[in-house]
Amino acid sequence: SSQIGTHNVSIKVVDGFGGEAYQEYVLTVTAFQPPVPIDEIIVDDADDGVERTGTWYESSGTGFYGDTVSLYNNNGGTFTWNFTIPVATTYDVYTWWTPHTLRSNDVPYTIHYNLDSEAVVRVDQSDESLANNWHYLGTYDFSVGEHFILLTGVEGNSNADAIKLTRVDTPSNTA
């Protein structure tokens, strides 16, 4: 019977002519620990796991998430929040930005979720009544592995601050 711990194992092989060979092995048996779903994932604009192309400027907008100011771009740059999903799970996806009247009212977020599935959700970042809040982008079934949310800078400028995924119990893919 297998037991958790370290075991010495000897293997003896005898050929048809009476020759023998021995080999010693050390075998470590551990309890299987299945991956556990993560209840909440937050990636802020200054965290590990973010990538950006183009020039992003520090925003003077107030109400940014976390300890770092948000960033903006108005020339087609991209901002990507990368994260890992250890167990296939359904998440509500949110974003945080600092609104400003100069921001675009049609900012695209691309959510990469189940294998190679993507959804594009457009938001209005110019409405200052939306300050200091998480904004819902939809509910998605995420597969195990590496995923990302991509924001594309558009004319009128786009603001990148933080994303949040909150685990839910019922699978669906709605935006």
Side-chain angles (χ1 to χ4, degrees), residues 73-85:
N73 175 283
N74 61 4
N75 58 10
T78 61
F79 196 98
T80 307
W81 296 267
N82 296 292
F83 50 93
T84 302
I85 301 293

Side-chain angles (χ1 to χ4, degrees), residues 38-103:
I38 299 171
D39 288 336
E40 185 175 81
I41 298 169
I42 296 177
V43 184
D44 199 2
D45 59 328
D47 289 347
D48 290 339
V50 299
E51 299 172 13
R52 56 187 180 199
T53 65
T55 304
W56 288 81
Y57 305 96
E58 286 190 1
S59 172
S60 60
T62 59
F64 54 85
Y65 179 84
D67 296 330
T68 58
V69 299
S70 62
L71 303 171
Y72 74 91
N73 175 283
N74 61 4
N75 58 10
T78 61
F79 196 98
T80 307
W81 296 267
N82 296 292
F83 50 93
T84 302
I85 301 293
V87 176
T89 308
T90 301
Y91 285 98
D92 285 338
V93 176
Y94 299 88
T95 184
W96 186 291
W97 67 79
T98 57
H100 192 283
T101 56
L102 296 178
R103 304 238 193 277

Side-chain angles (χ1 to χ4, degrees), residues 79-160:
F79 196 98
T80 307
W81 296 267
N82 296 292
F83 50 93
T84 302
I85 301 293
V87 176
T89 308
T90 301
Y91 285 98
D92 285 338
V93 176
Y94 299 88
T95 184
W96 186 291
W97 67 79
T98 57
H100 192 283
T101 56
L102 296 178
R103 304 238 193 277
S104 174
N105 64 359
D106 193 32
V107 176
Y109 285 84
T110 303
I111 298 102
H112 175 269
Y113 57 103
N114 194 9
L115 300 175
D116 290 327
S117 299
E118 292 184 348
V120 176
V121 179
R122 295 179 177 278
V123 300
D124 180 358
Q125 291 188 344
S126 67
D127 184 350
E128 292 185 336
S129 71
L130 299 176
N132 301 314
N133 211 345
W134 288 107
H135 305 282
Y136 179 70
L137 296 178
T139 301
Y140 303 93
D141 297 331
F142 283 86
S143 57
V144 173
E146 301 296 319
H147 296 278
F148 62 86
I149 296 175
L150 171 79
L151 176 140
T152 304
V154 294
E155 188 174 329
N157 84 51
S158 302
N159 183 262

